[in-house]
Amino acid sequence: MSSSHELDKLIRALQIQPGIGLRSATRIAYHLLERRRPDAMELGQILISAMRNIKLCTCCRNYCDHEICTICQKPERHQARQLCIVESPSDVEAIEQSNNYFGLYFVLHGHLSPIDGVGPNELGLPQLDELLTREPFDEIILATNPTIEGDATASFIAALAQKHAIKNISKIASGVPVGGGIDNVDQKTLASSLTHRRPFGD
Amino acid sequence: MSSSHELDKLIRALQIQPGIGLRSATRIAYHLLERRRPDAMELGQILISAMRNIKLCTCCRNYCDHEICTICQKPERHQARQLCIVESPSDVEAIEQSNNYFGLYFVLHGHLSPIDGVGPNELGLPQLDELLTREPFDEIILATNPTIEGDATASFIAALAQKHAIKNISKIASGVPVGGGIDNVDQKTLASSLTHRRPFGD
């Protein structure tokens, strides 16, 4: 407990951020009070506005400010006739930064998990079904996480894509990280990278 | 750049927190949007309110919600007749948590630094002068940081306390951390702990 109730409240509230415990929250609160009061007030306003206004794109379910996100607004993205399915908006961000994919996305916001009550409706699969009916895709790329739940979700979506007679259904490769040492990789990843080996020179 | 301008703005604003870079800010923003929207809006309101309302205690210059902080409000703190001088409000917090001091504090909010335009007025020394005139203290404990600037500030304040004929003027001990290994301590700290050695059993 500090000398100010408002300060205690602030230190507690800052801890809703992942990775920020009591110590970091205390340091942040003192720093903001001591040196960055106007910036911190602005952060407060931006937080409120972002939480109130950011919604899901009606096309791909990624975060956006209006009805349609900046990616879905671009005609060339539609012309690529590729659709990449990911679990979360941060996956879109990561793939965009890899600068190697120029098609559309569909964001599930999770993976199938019947125990937690997450079924096809919660992942927006009816919306995906509509999208596949509406737009002609040449390829569906399944980029769910390489976990048991992610793989199960990918299989479920692959079946949906087959119903729409989509030519190519692919899954991103899992294996040794580029630039990494083989002896630093866990057994399962190494097993997967051996199973899915490809002809040299491909 | 993400799919939403508000999200980009949020990620940028979150980085005013010390220790939070682009990667952490991105992770925090997505986490708040995905799972803690109401809490994040509340954090926004608490930030604005804290930055607007938290002021300095008119007695000790520590952070507080009203005129006088919760420490200075307690009569037993005044009866201890001790005053501990610290550089920052987080030092008060740290000393309070050590549970070994029950007197009053005075917070400088920095140290003397003529180059940066920080002189006695910026550190509230006229206010400290008034406090020393108004209240009878038996001891002044100088708990500024053991740095060149902190030591210079401590000397300046010691001279002020001498003018007020305060019996005991002390400085917190600097030395080997309790529970730490001697071989892990830097040379200057070790030298100081040897210089200020005390009779065994004290």
Side-chain angles (χ1 to χ4, degrees):
Chain A
M1 232 204 60
S2 75
S3 58
S4 149
H5 296 299
E6 291 237 27
L7 180 54
D8 289 334
K9 238 168 90 177
L10 176 59
I11 291 172
R12 221 174 307 122
L14 284 167
Q15 292 176 59
I16 63 166
Q17 302 175 102
I20 304 294
L22 177 62
R23 259 185 108 88
S24 308
T26 307
R27 199 161 57 97
I28 291 170
Y30 281 117
H31 175 85
L32 297 180
L33 277 169
E34 198 84 15
R35 297 190 203 177
R36 310 200 67 164
R37 289 208 190 204
D39 291 337
M41 286 179 76
E42 204 189 326
L43 168 59
Q45 263 135 10
I46 289 172
L47 262 171
I48 293 170
S49 155
M51 296 303 139
R52 192 174 285 149
N53 298 331
I54 295 179
K55 43 194 168 208
L56 302 187
C57 169
T58 52
C59 175
C60 73
R61 304 215 327 152
N62 195 1
Y63 290 131
C64 72
D65 303 329
H66 309 289
E67 287 295 291
I68 303 286
C69 78
T70 47
I71 293 174
C72 291
Q73 273 170 17
K74 291 185 185 145
E76 64 269 27
R77 292 286 191 150
H78 293 262
Q79 282 150 18
R81 297 169 70 114
Q82 286 181 308
L83 183 67
C84 180
I85 317 275
V86 296
E87 288 188 28
S88 80
S90 52
D91 298 335
V92 173
E93 186 87 7
I95 294 174
E96 283 294 290
Q97 276 167 12
S98 78
N99 232 331
N100 197 27
Y101 174 75
F102 309 98
L104 292 174
Y105 293 94
F106 189 84
V107 183
L108 302 170
H109 290 271
H111 46 242
L112 289 175
S113 178
I115 286 176
D116 304 313
V118 181
N121 288 332
E122 284 69 28
L123 301 183
L125 297 193
Q127 201 172 325
L128 175 61
D129 197 34
E130 261 174 56
L131 178 63
L132 295 180
T133 310
R134 200 170 62 232
E135 288 211 32
F137 288 106
D138 289 340
E139 185 177 7
I140 300 286
I141 300 172
L142 300 163
T144 50
N145 292 333
T147 57
I148 294 175
E149 297 88 351
D151 287 343
T153 310
S155 302
F156 194 92
I157 294 171
L160 181 70
Q162 272 157 355
K163 265 200 343 202
H164 285 272
I166 286 162
K167 264 190 292 180
N168 303 302
I169 301 172
S170 60
K171 192 160 176 302
I172 53 163
S174 208
V176 182
V178 176
I182 286 177
D183 50 354
N184 286 324
V185 172
D186 66 288
Q187 295 173 357
K188 283 187 183 167
T189 303
L190 203 50
S192 165
S193 93
L194 280 168
T195 308
H196 301 104
R197 64 192 182 277
R198 57 186 181 189
F200 186 78
D202 247 20
Chain B
M1 232 205 60
S2 76
S3 57
S4 149
H5 296 300
E6 290 236 28
L7 181 55
D8 289 333
K9 237 167 92 178
L10 175 60
I11 291 172
R12 222 174 306 122
L14 285 167
Q15 292 176 58
I16 64 167
Q17 301 176 101
I20 304 295
L22 177 60
R23 258 185 108 88
S24 307
T26 307
R27 199 161 56 97
I28 290 170
Y30 281 117
H31 175 84
L32 297 181
L33 276 170
E34 198 83 16
R35 298 192 203 176
R36 308 201 67 164
R37 289 207 189 205
D39 291 337
M41 286 180 75
E42 202 188 327
L43 169 59
Q45 263 136 10
I46 290 171
L47 262 171
I48 293 169
S49 155
M51 296 303 138
R52 192 174 285 148
N53 298 332
I54 295 177
K55 43 195 170 208
L56 301 188
C57 170
T58 53
C59 175
C60 73
R61 304 214 327 151
N62 195 0
Y63 290 131
C64 73
D65 304 329
H66 309 288
E67 287 295 291
I68 303 286
C69 78
T70 47
I71 293 175
C72 291
Q73 274 171 15
K74 292 187 186 144
E76 65 269 28
R77 292 288 189 149
H78 293 262
Q79 283 150 17
R81 297 168 70 113
Q82 285 181 308
L83 182 67
C84 180
I85 316 274
V86 296
E87 288 189 28
S88 79
S90 52
D91 298 336
V92 173
E93 186 86 8
I95 295 173
E96 284 294 292
Q97 275 167 11
S98 78
N99 232 331
N100 197 27
Y101 174 74
F102 308 100
L104 292 174
Y105 293 93
F106 189 84
V107 183
L108 302 170
H109 290 271
H111 45 243
L112 288 175
S113 178
I115 287 177
D116 304 314
V118 181
N121 288 332
E122 283 70 27
L123 301 183
L125 297 194
Q127 200 172 324
L128 175 60
D129 197 36
E130 263 175 54
L131 178 63
L132 296 181
T133 311
R134 199 170 64 232
E135 290 211 29
F137 288 107
D138 289 338
E139 184 176 9
I140 300 286
I141 300 172
L142 300 163
T144 51
N145 291 333
T147 58
I148 294 175
E149 298 87 352
D151 287 343
T153 309
S155 302
F156 193 93
I157 293 171
L160 181 70
Q162 272 157 358
K163 267 201 340 202
H164 285 271
I166 286 163
K167 265 189 291 181
N168 303 303
I169 301 173
S170 59
K171 192 161 175 304
I172 52 163
S174 209
V176 181
V178 176
I182 287 179
D183 50 354
N184 286 325
V185 172
D186 65 287
Q187 294 172 358
K188 285 188 182 165
T189 303
L190 204 51
S192 166
S193 95
L194 280 167
T195 308
H196 301 105
R197 64 191 182 277
R198 55 186 183 189
F200 186 79
D202 247 18

